[in-house]
Each structure stands twice: as C-alpha cells, then as structure tokens.
Amino acid sequence: MTPDTREKLMGVSVATLATALFKRGLRHQVIQGVHPLGHKGQNMVGPAFTLRYIPAREDRNTLAEFRNPAHPQRVAIETCPKGHVLVMDSRKQADAASAGDILITRLMMRGGAGVVTDGGFRDAAVIAELDIPAYHSRPSSPTNLTNNEAIALNEPIGCGDAPVFPGDIIVGDADCVIVIPAHMADEVAEEAVEMTAYEDFVVEQVKDGEPIIGLYPRVNEEKYGPRFEAWRKANNR
C-alpha cells in the first residue's frame, strides 16, 4: 500500500468502500459483528497481520501456557509489523477474551495500526482509552485459554465471516471494518474518493430540498453533472 493510497483510505467510509468492492463482485468483505471501542475520530488503515484461534483442548491450555515464550498470542503481539493491523480469528466467540489491555498496550507501543477480533476483549473500557483503534464484538473477561487456543500466525483466516489474507488492507471507521484485497487497494481507494466527493455533494443538495431521483444514483447527468463540477471547483474537491 502506497502512502497516497493510505491517505485516501483515511478519508472514506467503510460503506463507500463496500459499494466499490460490490461493483467488483466482492460481497462479503465487511467483518460482521464487530464495533469500535472508543472511536478515535479517524479511520484505522493498515495491512493485515493475522492470528488464528482453534477450540481449546484442556490438556494444552492451562495458565502455564502463558509462560511459554513461543505462545502464538504473545508472539503475534511482539512480531506484528509497525503500521499493520492485527486481525484475530476468534471463531466469533466472545465467551473468552482474544486479548486484554496489557497486550493491546504493547501492540500500541510497537506501532500497531489497530486490532480487530470477531471475539471480545477483556479490560475493554481500558482499551477504549488507548491510542490505538480496536474493534471487537463485546467485552469478555475470561482468559482466551478458557475456550480458544492460539495456533497460527499470518496465514489466511476468517474474521466475522470475512476472508482475510495476510497483507490485505484493513479499514475501520466509526461503524465497522472492511477487508480490501491488497491488489485492489489502489484502484478501490481512488474510486472511493470520487464516490465520497459526489456523496458529499448529494447530501448538500438533499438538505437544500433536492429530490433524490436522478441525483443519487447519478442518472441525470445533464442536470447534475455541471452542478457537481461547479461544486467540486468551489470546494476544492
């Protein structure tokens, strides 16, 4: 992902990106069931670094596992590259936490761009106050060892029913999170910026009493095309 593409993705909504991907035949890229903890006022953007959980087996998942320096959950926190988003496949289960505030604080201090789980976080209120975007399904106090075993790093996963491949571009806004295939990121970002400009124009028109038919979607080009171009020029868009 280029710096220009990242900058563009910082200023567009997940809803707009979902439409741009829908045009390309991708219908299931929004991570379902996740919500921001203490939205930071700007988008989360970064390549995916993944962690996968499987169902816990009691003989393998005792508290002693956390003393293991090779424990995948801990290794994920210590190896997720700067500027990346840690995305966790927690099997859509929030009965046990995917992580807590200490690990997410460490991820923040290492320069992580954000963290997403389709499970839950413990210490959620504390994580909400950290300077790192975080998304989960709901608060969850039990340790992840209760139900889940961290098993694999940086391989394809499913998170909230969305396929996530390492390096895919993750974008989160005040609503939810979407996964953009890495090879599409530049063109999708460019189209989303154009779509956002037109949508902002439409909102102003609607607030001024303009009917929606022909305006959105952009069908009546003869009427609204020149008006939109004049609006863009006036607003430096």
Side-chain angles (χ1 to χ4, degrees):
M1 177 174 59
T2 67
D4 182 60
T5 292
R6 184 182 186 279
E7 183 67 25
K8 289 173 180 174
L9 292 173
M10 290 292 293
V12 297
S13 71
V14 167
T16 297
L17 291 168
T19 300
L21 289 172
F22 181 84
K23 291 178 180 178
R24 291 161 173 81
L26 279 71
R27 298 168 179 260
H28 304 289
Q29 297 304 115
V30 173
I31 296 178
Q32 298 297 314
V34 303
H35 317 282
L37 288 80
H39 181 60
K40 310 308 176 187
Q42 62 180 4
N43 283 359
M44 173 185 72
V45 180
F49 183 87
T50 64
L51 169 64
R52 181 167 62 88
Y53 285 99
I54 63 171
R57 200 176 76 187
E58 287 78 4
D59 64 321
R60 290 175 54 91
N61 288 270
T62 68
L63 283 174
E65 280 303 308
F66 285 153
R67 300 190 184 98
N68 177 6
H71 188 270
Q73 184 203 44
R74 268 54 176 172
V75 173
I77 295 296
E78 293 293 342
T79 59
C80 179
K82 182 178 180 180
H84 282 56
V85 176
L86 177 59
V87 184
M88 292 183 272
D89 172 4
S90 294
R91 307 188 300 123
K92 298 190 291 185
Q93 289 195 1
D95 295 340
S98 303
D101 68 310
I102 294 175
L103 272 69
I104 303 307
T105 298
R106 175 59 178 162
L107 181 66
M108 176 186 72
M109 296 306 295
R110 293 192 60 255
V115 58
V116 184
T117 177
D118 59 3
F121 290 124
R122 66 196 312 186
D123 316 306
V126 178
I127 293 173
E129 297 298 322
L130 295 176
D131 191 22
I132 182 172
Y135 294 76
H136 74 165
S137 62
R138 62 175 172 82
S140 177
S141 293
T143 172
N144 71 82
L145 297 168
T146 307
N147 280 351
N148 292 329
E149 177 177 349
I151 196 71
L153 296 176
N154 221 30
E155 64 178 28
I157 62 170
C159 184
D161 295 324
V164 185
F165 290 81
D168 281 350
I169 305 305
I170 308 299
V171 181
D173 64 9
D175 292 331
C176 50
V177 180
I178 196 165
V179 184
I180 305 173
H183 69 279
M184 293 185 180
D186 293 343
E187 65 178 82
V188 167
E190 179 66 31
E191 180 170 347
V193 167
E194 293 300 308
M195 291 171 63
T196 299
Y198 188 70
E199 288 165 359
D200 289 348
F201 162 74
V202 167
V203 168
E204 287 194 15
Q205 297 296 302
V206 170
K207 287 181 176 179
D208 287 340
E210 195 73 22
I212 204 71
I213 304 301
L215 172 64
Y216 187 78
R218 187 174 172 177
V219 176
N220 192 338
E221 185 66 30
E222 182 178 351
K223 179 177 180 180
Y224 294 113
R227 193 182 298 184
F228 174 52
E229 292 307 318
W231 178 91
R232 292 193 79 165
K233 186 176 181 180
N235 290 275
N236 196 28
R237 299 289 296 273

